[in-house]
Amino acid sequence: MQALLIVAHGSRRAASNQEVAALAAVLAQQSSRFALIDYAFLEMAAPNIATGLQQMVAKGAQQITVLPYFLSAGNHVIRDVPRIIAEFSQQHPHLAINIAPHFGLAPGIADLVLAQAGSPAKI
Amino acid sequence: MQALLIVAHGSRRAASNQEVAALAAVLAQQSSRFALIDYAFLEMAAPNIATGLQQMVAKGAQQITVLPYFLSAGNHVIRDVPRIIAEFSQQHPHLAINIAPHFGLAPGIADLVLAQAGSPAKI
């Protein structure tokens, strides 16, 4: 069973974390590929990444894609998230985990930014 | 003259900040609405927001849209960015500054997340 874990930074502000939860709920409705879609936070909020992964394993996930929901590849994306995933992976050798490129690399970001700024793209 | 300032968090990692600079460069090429598009960082990297705004004013910007390039509305989006903008605005009463909704609210985010996770949306 294939699962997708959205990993966000996490905030002290509950409403911020709820945005991520709401996104995961929308994704779970839209996706036909992933039988399970959930979210976790690097810090400041629950569940943390290891707990999020553990919950997916408990629900029967055999392949997990982790999507770092970050706009640019700072130390969190380059160092912290991969380290946590690697540790979990070592403890669960039969689980296939892969990390998708961080969200900021998604094609279409520029168009979305212009739309959000109220500006139509030239083309 | 209308300008767009992309405000990102900023990272200790130079390559992360360069992603934001590259995005601003792409946007500047695509947009017909904004005569000037640039970027600034809340912390950890230069230019900071006040400097970014000041540079736009020096280049003749009369209306500036600030787009908080953040995925969710944590304290940075709710408190820090607006406070800095308000302070700058008070010092420049003839300048029209508006803050766009933070990037994470952009319609289309969910589709982009699924695409980045390698998953086609159902519809």
Side-chain angles (χ1 to χ4, degrees):
Chain A
M1 192 252 270
Q2 204 160 14
L4 172 62
L5 187 68
I6 308 292
V7 170
H9 185 280
S11 170
R12 290 185 185 86
R13 196 170 166 272
S16 168
N17 302 323
Q18 283 161 8
E19 284 183 71
V20 178
L23 173 68
V26 167
L27 294 176
Q29 286 190 321
Q30 282 189 359
S31 172
S32 53
R33 174 172 172 189
F34 296 105
L36 181 61
I37 298 184
D38 218 329
Y39 62 93
F41 298 104
L42 176 62
E43 56 190 34
M44 297 192 203
N48 66 22
I49 299 174
T51 300
L53 291 171
Q54 190 57 59
Q55 288 172 348
M56 290 188 146
V57 169
K59 288 176 182 170
Q62 293 156 321
Q63 299 176 22
I64 301 178
T65 295
V66 174
L67 179 77
Y69 191 53
F70 289 77
L71 283 171
S72 47
N75 287 326
H76 291 324
V77 168
I78 296 297
R79 186 189 59 193
D80 303 336
V81 173
R83 189 189 56 218
I84 294 167
I85 303 299
E87 284 172 8
F88 190 89
S89 189
Q90 282 174 0
Q91 295 160 6
H92 299 79
H94 299 296
L95 186 68
I97 306 187
N98 73 296
I99 307 181
H102 68 283
F103 180 62
L105 290 182
I109 287 275
D111 288 343
L112 226 53
V113 169
L114 279 184
Q116 190 69 348
S119 166
K122 256 181 187 166
I123 302 166
Chain B
M1 192 252 274
Q2 203 158 17
L4 171 64
L5 187 68
I6 308 293
V7 170
H9 184 279
S11 171
R12 292 186 183 85
R13 196 170 166 271
S16 169
N17 302 323
Q18 283 161 9
E19 285 182 70
V20 178
L23 173 68
V26 167
L27 294 176
Q29 286 189 322
Q30 282 188 359
S31 173
S32 53
R33 173 171 173 190
F34 296 104
L36 182 60
I37 299 185
D38 218 330
Y39 61 94
F41 298 103
L42 176 62
E43 56 190 34
M44 297 192 203
N48 66 22
I49 299 174
T51 302
L53 291 170
Q54 189 58 58
Q55 288 171 349
M56 290 189 145
V57 169
K59 288 175 183 170
Q62 294 157 319
Q63 298 175 23
I64 301 178
T65 295
V66 174
L67 179 77
Y69 191 53
F70 289 76
L71 283 172
S72 46
N75 287 326
H76 292 324
V77 167
I78 296 297
R79 185 190 60 195
D80 304 335
V81 172
R83 187 189 58 219
I84 294 168
I85 303 300
E87 285 173 9
F88 191 89
S89 189
Q90 282 173 0
Q91 295 159 7
H92 299 79
H94 299 296
L95 187 68
I97 307 186
N98 73 296
I99 307 181
H102 68 282
F103 180 63
L105 290 182
I109 287 275
D111 288 344
L112 225 53
V113 169
L114 279 184
Q116 189 71 348
S119 167
K122 256 182 187 165
I123 302 163

